[in-house]
């Protein structure tokens, strides 16, 4: 690789101002969201079209320049951070963020990769529809990154993960060719479904440049329930009852323990415990339906009465106003920020079959307390998806960095082994990136790993697409 030749070719293809080498501008893009990884880069480029992405990839291939695509840089696993060699080119997408097409009859949007998720949601609303992919980082997380990592978030229990919302994709392959499959078909049963190879590949097989997204009818009625529950087992029973009563109107099902809540109460101005310290754990249910709002309210009343009668919940609150709903959601969504404010945590993102959630929560907490008495356990997550974040903080008074350095590895090994033993996964929604490559190798079968390697080799024989990630 001759860096100067690569840079000159990129400037000629894109214009000088689309090739960024200024260290101050590059700096924030060279560290990941969690500050676990930092790297260097030859430059960053900001293409304006799929044709420009293709031109960039061709130049990189000719000049043997590794490429690292980066969306909103919100990966939890360092998936968008280059290595320390300084050889890689960062490809960023702020200028490739247009809404290309709206089909208001079929309910689809064709959107470019750089559009933030919140803007995609707004575009869907403008078209009279609903785009459900939603997460704490949605103001900055971009569509391309969310699809590449097959992101999850807050509505998976009803609508599925990112890949389930995609009808068509446009991808620039590692040889510069454009795979254009932007058809908006619900049914297309014509051989291998190539789309799904790129979702979850985290940019290692190609660069997603646009997608056709499935939209849903905007729910006419929405209600939010907050339950005081004994533990994860009771929470699962409540979810089961709610689904049997309300059908598939359960849109979010978020569980959090009192210890997780306590972090938010300590750090979030104005935050209040709705159960005044009485709830060992809380379950937040978002119910959204297209049917009559008054009927929905009645059904919720019946559900609440049943949950209380059967002692599945000790208290059931139904939000009385949008302000109250927002306050409850803030209690859940601000847990990661509160963990940061406490000096950080040893984080996990594991999934198990729903029925094993109670064991996962109970055994993980018992196990880590054995290792570190007084450890603080921030247990929360998308319980309806079988996905919990089991995050551990230093005992009060201990130095967070020392705690993580001393115990982090052992705690993670315990949690991951437990999840796998319960039939689960070490990464439910945050992907693999560079953080969890070893875990992928340790837990996938040789057959699965061999196939993944052969796919990578077939798509990207020179290993230039986001090298060092996933595999
Ligand atoms: C969430 O569910 C995110 O809030 C972040 O996936 C989880 O910070 C975490 O551990
Ligand atoms: Zn999560």
């Amino acid at each position: 690789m001759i860096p100067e030749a690569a840079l000159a070719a990129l400037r000629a293809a894109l214009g000088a101002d689309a090739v960024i080498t200024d260290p101050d501008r590059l700096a924030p893009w060279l560290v990941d969201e969690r500050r676990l990884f930092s790297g260097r880069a030859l430059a960053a480029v900001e293409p304006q079209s799929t044709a420009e992405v293709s031109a960039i990839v061709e130049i990189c291939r000719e000049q043997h320049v590794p490429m690292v695509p980066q969306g909103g840089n919100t990966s939890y696993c360092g998936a968008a951070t280059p290595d320390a060699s300084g050889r890689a080119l960062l490809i960023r997408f702020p200028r490739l963020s247009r809404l290309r097409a709206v089909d208001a009859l079929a309910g689809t949007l064709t959107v470019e990769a750089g559009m933030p998720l919140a803007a995609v949601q707004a575009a869907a609303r403008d078209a009279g529809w609903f785009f459900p992919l939603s997460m704490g980082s949605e103001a900055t997380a971009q569509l391309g990154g969310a699809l590449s990592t097959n992101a999850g978030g807050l509505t998976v229990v009803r609508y599925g993960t990112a890949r389930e919302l995609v009808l068509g994709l446009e991808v620039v392959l590692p040889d510069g060719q454009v795979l254009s499959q932007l058809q908006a078909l619900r049914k297309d049963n014509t051989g291998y479904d190539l789309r799904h190879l790129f979702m979850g590949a985290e940019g290692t097989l190609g660069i997603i440049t646009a997608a056709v997204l499935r939209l849903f009818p905007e729910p006419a009625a929405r209600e939010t329930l907050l339950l005081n529950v004994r533990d994860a087992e009771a929470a699962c029973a409540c979810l089961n009852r709610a689904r049997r009563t309300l059908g598939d109107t359960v849109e979010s099902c978020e569980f959090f323990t009192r210890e997780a809540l306590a972090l938010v109460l300590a750090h979030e101005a104005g935050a209040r415990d709705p159960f005044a310290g009485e709830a060992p754990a809380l379950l937040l249910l978002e119910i959204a339906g297209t049917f009559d709002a008054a009927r929905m309210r009645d059904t919720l009343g019946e559900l609440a009465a049943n949950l209380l009668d059967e002692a599945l919940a000790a208290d059931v609150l139904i939000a009385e106003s949008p302000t109250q709903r927002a306050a409850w959601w803030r209690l859940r969504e601000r847990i990661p920020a509160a963990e940061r404010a406490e000096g950080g945590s040893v984080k996990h993102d594991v999934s198990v079959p729903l029925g094993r959630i109670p064991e996962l929560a109970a055994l993980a907490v018992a196990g880590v307390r054995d290792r570190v008495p007084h450890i603080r356990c921030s247990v929360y997550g998308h319980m309806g998806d079988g996905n919990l974040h089991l995050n551990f903080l230093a005992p009060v008074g201990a130095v967070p960095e020392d705690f993580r350095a001393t115990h982090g590895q052992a705690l993670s090994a315990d949690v991951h082994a437990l999840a796998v033993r319960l039939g689960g996964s070490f990464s439910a929604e945050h992907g693999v990136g560079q953080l969890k490559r070893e875990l992928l190798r340790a837990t996938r079968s040789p057959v699965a790993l061999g196939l993944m390697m052969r796919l990578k080799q077939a798509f990207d024989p020179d290993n230039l697409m986001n090298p060092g990630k996933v595999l």
Side-chain angles (χ1 to χ4, degrees), residues 76 332-333 336 339 347-348 380 382 389 391 429-430:
Y76 255 46
R332 159 60 185 90
E333 290 201 275
E339 288 177 5
K347 284 182 176 295
H348 305 94
Y380 61 99
H382 322 289
H389 301 301
N391 296 346
E429 60 168 358
H430 294 162

Side-chain angles (χ1 to χ4, degrees), residues 226-229 274-275 278-279 283 304 307-308 312-317:
L226 191 64
L227 280 56
N228 164 352
V229 288
F275 298 115
E278 302 273 299
L283 187 70
L307 294 176
L308 294 171
L312 295 176
D315 262 310
V316 179
L317 305 177

Side-chain angles (χ1 to χ4, degrees), residues 146-160:
L147 298 187
S148 294
T149 53
N150 183 30
L154 303 169
T155 60
V156 174
V157 67
R158 169 124 171 231
Y159 299 102

Side-chain angles (χ1 to χ4, degrees), residues 265-326:
L265 297 175
H267 291 284
E268 195 70 14
R272 234 191 84 250
D273 181 350
F275 298 115
E278 302 273 299
L282 297 86
L283 187 70
L284 183 60
L285 293 174
E286 185 80 4
I287 315 296
T290 42
F291 56 82
D292 177 65
R295 223 181 84 208
M296 176 149 143
R297 196 92 193 166
D298 290 346
T299 317
L300 285 186
E302 285 162 30
L303 170 68
N306 287 338
L307 294 176
L308 294 171
D309 278 355
E310 291 171 37
L312 295 176
D315 262 310
V316 179
L317 305 177
I318 304 180
E320 293 298 336
S321 67
T323 319
Q324 190 170 41
R325 169 178 183 250

Side-chain angles (χ1 to χ4, degrees), residues 90-437:
L90 267 185
I91 306 180
R92 304 188 68 259
F93 302 90
R95 304 203 226 182
L96 191 67
S97 58
R98 282 165 291 248
L99 176 62
R100 286 198 197 159
V102 178
D103 184 338
L105 177 68
T108 66
L109 292 182
T110 307
V111 184
E112 291 181 341
M115 189 181 279
L117 287 180
V120 179
Q121 295 162 0
R125 259 194 313 276
D126 289 347
W129 289 83
F130 175 60
F131 180 64
L133 190 61
S134 167
M135 59 196 70
S137 56
E138 64 198 22
T140 37
Q142 296 175 5
L143 180 68
L147 298 187
S148 294
T149 53
N150 183 30
L154 303 169
T155 60
V156 174
V157 67
R158 169 124 171 231
Y159 299 102
T161 59
R163 70 165 76 245
E164 287 161 80
L165 306 173
V166 172
L167 294 177
L169 268 194
E170 179 187 80
V171 183
V172 176
L173 301 176
D175 63 3
Q177 290 190 84
V178 179
L179 175 71
S180 183
Q181 297 199 317
L182 286 176
Q183 57 273 49
L185 301 175
R186 276 306 295 279
K187 299 176 96 171
D188 178 16
N189 218 351
T190 50
Y192 302 152
D193 194 335
L194 298 173
R195 270 177 310 183
H196 288 293
L197 285 175
F198 301 97
M199 290 181 280
E202 303 184 24
T204 59
L205 298 181
I207 299 174
I208 295 175
T209 48
V212 184
L213 302 172
R214 270 177 81 185
L215 306 179
F216 296 82
E218 178 78 77
R222 215 174 251 295
E223 297 284 353
T224 309
L225 269 67
L226 191 64
L227 280 56
N228 164 352
V229 288
R230 195 177 54 251
D231 54 16
E233 188 172 2
C236 279
C238 290
L239 169 65
N240 187 27
R241 177 50 69 98
R243 276 171 150 170
R244 282 169 200 284
T245 312
L246 302 163
D248 85 343
T249 59
V250 178
E251 194 180 57
S252 298
C253 172
E254 296 289 321
F255 173 81
F256 47 117
T257 56
R258 181 163 53 195
E259 267 186 287
L261 173 66
L263 300 171
V264 177
L265 297 175
H267 291 284
E268 195 70 14
R272 234 191 84 250
D273 181 350
F275 298 115
E278 302 273 299
L282 297 86
L283 187 70
L284 183 60
L285 293 174
E286 185 80 4
I287 315 296
T290 42
F291 56 82
D292 177 65
R295 223 181 84 208
M296 176 149 143
R297 196 92 193 166
D298 290 346
T299 317
L300 285 186
E302 285 162 30
L303 170 68
N306 287 338
L307 294 176
L308 294 171
D309 278 355
E310 291 171 37
L312 295 176
D315 262 310
V316 179
L317 305 177
I318 304 180
E320 293 298 336
S321 67
T323 319
Q324 190 170 41
R325 169 178 183 250
W328 292 352
W329 267 104
R330 205 154 57 96
L331 296 177
R332 159 60 185 90
E333 290 201 275
R334 297 297 291 168
I335 298 170
E339 288 177 5
R340 270 197 301 279
E342 272 300 304
S345 58
V346 181
K347 284 182 176 295
H348 305 94
D349 165 39
V350 296
S351 60
V352 292
L354 185 58
R356 310 214 74 169
I357 280 278
E359 277 165 280
L360 175 70
L363 295 177
V365 168
V368 299
R369 285 213 204 286
D370 258 2
R371 231 179 234 294
V372 188
H374 309 300
I375 191 171
R376 286 177 294 164
C377 301
S378 175
V379 173
Y380 61 99
H382 322 289
M383 201 199 72
D385 315 335
N387 174 195
L388 289 183
H389 301 301
L390 300 160
N391 296 346
F392 305 117
L393 292 86
V396 174
V399 179
E401 291 74 20
D402 295 349
F403 160 77
R404 286 200 299 277
T406 312
H407 299 292
Q409 267 192 349
L411 292 171
S412 294
D414 287 355
V415 169
H416 291 138
L418 174 63
V420 170
R421 184 161 71 71
L422 296 176
S425 165
F426 64 87
S427 185
E429 60 168 358
H430 294 162
V432 178
Q434 46 188 313
L435 182 65
K436 298 184 180 170
R437 289 167 67 198

